[in-house]
Amino acid sequence: MTGHPNEQARETFTFARWVWDITAARAIVAGRPHQLIAVGPLHSYLAIGLIRVDADHAMSTDLTQPLILAPLPGAGGNLPIDGWHRIYHALRKQVEYLPAVALTDAEGDQIRTQIPGWHPLARPAPAAAVPRPADQIRANTPSGRLPDGAVRDLVAAHLDSHPGQGFTIGELARVLGIAKAPVRDAVRHLVADHRAIRTATRHAVRYTSASGPATAL
């Protein structure tokens, strides 16, 4: 699941199985009043490569230009579809908030398409054929080990991309490809930092995202 801005004559943005027409989105929101969103919760998307940017270009971007947010189907929240270079820039300079404009559900549907060939009833590839997030990072690290902070970023990104859905330590460990002990330590820090919520029932202790993809103030 990798998001990336596509530099074409007509700009698009791809995330998971969705493609948004950024050129059309800009025309829709032109002149619309903006709100401020906190960029801190978006750090995890960049940290583990869910969204990729050109770092050099990012640092030359104009932080006064509003981001564009669009509803993320099935997630119950908004995702920036235009402005990830500005988000990277803001995070590097410790700017906490950026201006943003949000598309409505109807507007999002109007400019969003699904990647050809994907079908909701298609049989998924065998689990062994799909590298888990931690495995992908290890494969690209000379030492074969996860860098400092990577476990926390992986857990945070997984929770943020499944807003409202709770996960046990074991479930997080399995889906991410990480042992339970470091996952347990990561969620403890995320709860302490108010980035995750711990919910205990008679049957299990689960953790959910405290922020979701992006929330306008």
Side-chain angles (χ1 to χ4, degrees):
M1 178 188 295
T2 302
H4 54 88
N6 302 320
E7 296 184 1
Q8 303 172 352
R10 191 169 189 84
E11 284 192 60
T12 61
F13 174 78
T14 303
F15 185 80
R17 60 181 179 269
W18 305 109
V19 180
W20 287 266
D21 184 334
I22 303 306
T23 303
R26 288 173 180 161
I28 291 173
V29 303
R32 184 174 295 180
H34 67 259
Q35 296 176 296
L36 294 177
I37 67 164
V39 296
L42 300 169
H43 168 264
S44 298
Y45 288 81
L46 293 164
I48 64 172
L50 289 175
I51 305 292
R52 298 175 183 173
V53 300
D54 180 329
D56 291 334
H57 168 64
M59 299 310 293
S60 67
T61 54
D62 179 4
L63 298 186
T64 65
Q65 181 181 350
L67 312 175
I68 300 178
L69 311 179
L72 186 60
N78 289 329
L79 179 77
I81 60 169
D82 181 40
W84 280 99
H85 286 91
R86 278 161 272 158
I87 292 169
Y88 178 93
H89 186 177
L91 289 168
R92 286 290 302 273
K93 288 194 171 180
Q94 299 184 328
V95 175
E96 295 185 17
Y97 302 98
L98 287 179
V101 290
L103 296 169
T104 65
D105 288 341
E107 290 167 344
D109 291 343
Q110 178 184 339
I111 66 162
R112 186 186 66 249
T113 56
Q114 192 167 275
I115 294 175
W118 185 91
H119 190 279
L121 299 181
R123 178 178 297 178
V130 182
R132 293 174 296 183
D135 296 331
Q136 296 181 49
I137 295 177
R138 293 188 188 101
N140 290 285
T141 303
S143 67
R145 302 177 61 182
L146 294 175
D148 291 343
V151 174
R152 198 178 308 179
D153 287 336
L154 285 167
V155 173
H158 186 76
L159 295 179
D160 287 348
S161 63
H162 296 80
Q165 186 174 347
F167 297 89
T168 65
I169 296 294
E171 289 169 343
L172 289 168
R174 283 192 296 274
V175 74
L176 296 174
I178 306 170
K180 289 183 180 180
V183 170
R184 184 176 292 107
D185 184 63
V187 294
R188 179 173 60 82
H189 284 287
L190 291 173
V191 170
D193 293 340
H194 306 291
R195 296 176 62 192
I197 300 170
R198 180 183 185 275
T199 304
T201 67
R202 291 175 53 191
H203 305 289
V205 176
R206 295 184 178 276
Y207 298 87
T208 58
S209 172
S211 59
T215 304
L217 297 179

